[in-house]
Amino acid sequence: MSRLNLDKDQIIKEAEKNSSRMQERLRLLLLYKKIVTGRGIEFDRLRKYVPGDEARMIDWNALARTDELYTKVFDEDRLLNVLIIQDFSDSMKVGSIDIMKHDYASIISTTLAKTVQEAGDQAGFIAFSDGIKESDLPSLDDSIPYRIAEKTEKKKIYSEEANWEALRKHVLPNFSSETFVFVISDFIGGLDNAEKFLVQADAKFEGLFTIIVRDPLDSKLPEGVGQA
């Protein structure tokens, strides 16, 4: 058994500690495909100034007209949509070292959501197990990281097996092809359907990233339990 099962406040605390370190690296990662495709940097729109925006991007004409600061946004800088998918099947409720796999996964999901939003982009979240338990379209809603952290405490969200086919049928038709998708799971069970989903998601979406969360018990028995 794990020695620690985190609550939502502990998950948020860990995410806040990690998100500032991740922000620049994640931003570069998500923008990579946009940069190498050679898309132009044409003017797209204005948005309200956020502290930290470069002074050279401020639209001084808009300031003169409205008495408010606005920043110029170019095509390659448009809002990115990031969808975080987390596996809540029972195999994630394992932890032989410090905390359970689902706690690690929740820290990762919450950190990603906070990092994405701190970079000014839109984060969405899907919790799935035997079906789709919760689904949020990518948005700037700053409550999403907190709602992710709360999921780990909900007993009804867990089930025996991950239903990858239900995930495939939900995600592929309902999310834009310009979305960057992160899938966080131990990838134990239903691997044929998991592979089918990942192959089709990789073909449709702007970027697909998988994060595998594993515990030593996933690959070997603990010492002193005899043979199985």
Side-chain angles (χ1 to χ4, degrees):
M1 293 296 292
S2 66
R3 295 195 294 273
L4 182 61
N5 194 10
L6 301 184
D7 61 28
K8 62 179 179 297
D9 293 330
Q10 291 169 309
I11 290 171
I12 289 293
K13 184 177 179 181
E14 286 294 319
E16 288 174 344
K17 184 170 65 178
N18 296 331
S19 62
S20 60
R21 296 201 300 264
M22 281 187 61
Q23 184 171 338
E24 285 306 313
R25 292 181 183 180
L26 182 64
R27 183 69 175 173
L28 287 174
L29 175 67
L30 297 179
L31 282 174
Y32 175 75
K33 286 193 176 182
K34 294 181 182 295
I35 294 170
V36 300
T37 56
R39 295 181 185 176
I41 53 172
E42 296 178 358
F43 175 75
D44 182 40
R45 59 189 168 82
L46 293 176
R47 64 166 170 78
K48 284 194 173 182
Y49 173 83
V50 175
D53 285 349
E54 296 182 47
R56 65 187 180 87
M57 293 301 201
I58 293 174
D59 189 318
W60 301 108
N61 291 328
L63 173 64
R65 292 194 307 271
T66 65
D67 204 29
E68 289 189 90
L69 283 175
Y70 285 88
T71 299
K72 297 175 184 176
V73 177
F74 293 88
D75 183 53
E76 73 169 30
D77 294 324
R78 70 185 185 276
L79 287 176
L80 301 178
N81 293 325
V82 178
L83 176 64
I84 302 158
I85 301 172
Q86 184 175 333
D87 178 359
F88 282 89
S89 58
D90 278 349
S91 65
M92 295 291 286
K93 295 195 293 184
V94 173
S96 63
I97 299 177
D98 47 9
I99 61 176
M100 290 188 178
K101 288 190 291 184
H102 67 70
D103 286 326
Y104 279 118
S106 292
I107 291 172
I108 294 169
S109 295
T110 306
T111 301
L112 282 170
K114 286 185 68 62
T115 302
V116 166
Q117 291 189 335
E118 286 168 5
D121 293 316
Q122 302 187 118
F125 181 70
I126 289 177
F128 84 104
S129 52
D130 58 345
I132 304 302
K133 298 299 185 179
E134 296 197 30
S135 180
D136 295 305
L137 291 171
S139 75
L140 296 173
D141 181 355
D142 59 8
S143 72
I144 284 180
Y146 299 92
R147 296 210 301 273
I148 294 173
E150 290 174 344
K151 301 295 185 295
T152 193
E153 298 179 357
K154 293 185 177 181
K155 293 181 180 179
K156 291 183 179 179
I157 206 169
Y158 298 92
S159 71
E160 185 174 345
E161 214 171 282
N163 189 336
W164 291 95
E165 180 63 12
L167 182 68
R168 184 184 71 84
K169 289 180 178 179
H170 177 74
V171 171
L172 293 178
N174 291 321
F175 291 85
S176 162
S177 62
E178 295 187 344
T179 306
F180 289 87
V181 178
F182 288 82
V183 183
I184 304 166
S185 172
D186 57 8
F187 294 95
I188 293 176
L191 293 183
D192 288 344
N193 283 331
E195 182 178 2
K196 182 179 180 181
F197 164 68
L198 294 174
V199 167
Q200 293 183 7
D202 186 49
K204 173 175 179 176
F205 296 116
E206 187 102 21
L208 174 69
F209 310 94
T210 57
I211 300 175
I212 301 176
V213 180
R214 287 289 176 93
D215 185 271
L217 287 180
D218 292 332
S219 57
K220 65 179 181 179
L221 290 171
E223 294 181 6
V225 299
Q227 296 182 349

